[in-house]
Amino acid sequence: MNIQLLEKYGDKVKVQNTLWGEEIVLDWRPSAGESATHSGQLFENVTYDVLRSSNHIRGINKRPKFKCHFGLQREGDFELIHRGNVVHVECKQLGNAESHFDKLSHVFMNLICGCYGDHFWLVYDYNRDGGNSTLKKIAHLEERCKVIKQQVALQGITFEYLTLDKLSKI
């Protein structure tokens, strides 16, 4: 992971050393005692920094407006230009894959209904140090994302589901 991100956010998240002495982030949520709002905001801030560091991304707008599948005006997390395409980005800090995990169905419904436009990225994080239940739910999420990616491709929508590590390689 990017050294600047670890220097900027390392005291706010769960970091552990590998056997080779490399620091890795196990959980991008704030340390214990922080609220879910702070957790989500921290994850958006880290995501923004990762987006800004890419040479292939420009024109990042925060809080882009869109209409959800209910027809109501909403604000997303980011909109950006990637290789000539306008991409809508939603960030989800899933933690231990509990209540926030269940809210992904709303995101997927918006995606399937075309509410995010022709290009959509779901940037997500979870507690990699979580128990079997967390890891099982994340595995199910990733399998479901594969199916939805194929489904929306038939509608002409590109969909990427990315952890911060994958995002940093775009």
Side-chain angles (χ1 to χ4, degrees), residues 49-146:
D49 286 344
V50 172
L51 292 170
R52 283 188 7 194
S53 71
S54 172
N55 293 328
H56 304 290
I57 294 173
R58 60 184 173 80
I60 303 169
N61 295 318
K62 294 181 179 182
R63 303 283 173 234
K65 305 259 190 270
F66 72 97
K67 284 197 175 181
C68 75
H69 65 93
F70 291 119
L72 302 172
Q73 194 68 32
R74 297 286 189 221
E75 288 184 351
D77 293 327
F78 303 106
E79 189 174 80
L80 53 87
I81 307 294
H82 177 255
R83 300 184 186 268
N85 295 312
V86 176
V87 179
H88 185 102
V89 179
E90 289 292 320
C91 304
K92 296 298 174 198
Q93 171 48 267
L94 302 173
N96 290 327
E98 293 166 341
S99 62
H100 282 82
F101 184 85
D102 295 334
K103 294 177 183 176
L104 286 171
S105 58
H106 186 73
V107 171
F108 292 141
M109 189 67 173
N110 283 335
L111 170 60
I112 291 166
C113 290
C115 301
Y116 299 132
D118 292 336
H119 306 281
F120 175 70
W121 295 351
L122 171 64
V123 180
Y124 66 99
D125 184 52
Y126 60 94
N127 181 4
R128 283 153 187 76
D129 203 25
N132 287 337
S133 174
T134 299
L135 301 178
K136 184 177 177 181
K137 285 181 181 178
I138 296 303
H140 282 281
L141 167 65
E142 291 171 348
E143 285 302 312
R144 186 69 183 131
C145 283
K146 286 179 191 175

Side-chain angles (χ1 to χ4, degrees), residues 22-23 31 39 42 44-45 52 57 61 77 101 117 140 152 169:
E22 178 186 357
E23 285 187 322
S31 30
S39 176
L42 173 65
E44 283 182 32
N45 292 344
R52 283 188 7 194
I57 294 173
N61 295 318
D77 293 327
F101 184 85
H140 282 281
V152 297
K169 295 174 180 140

Side-chain angles (χ1 to χ4, degrees), residues 34-45:
E34 295 286 337
S35 72
T37 302
H38 290 110
S39 176
Q41 187 59 56
L42 173 65
F43 185 60
E44 283 182 32
N45 292 344

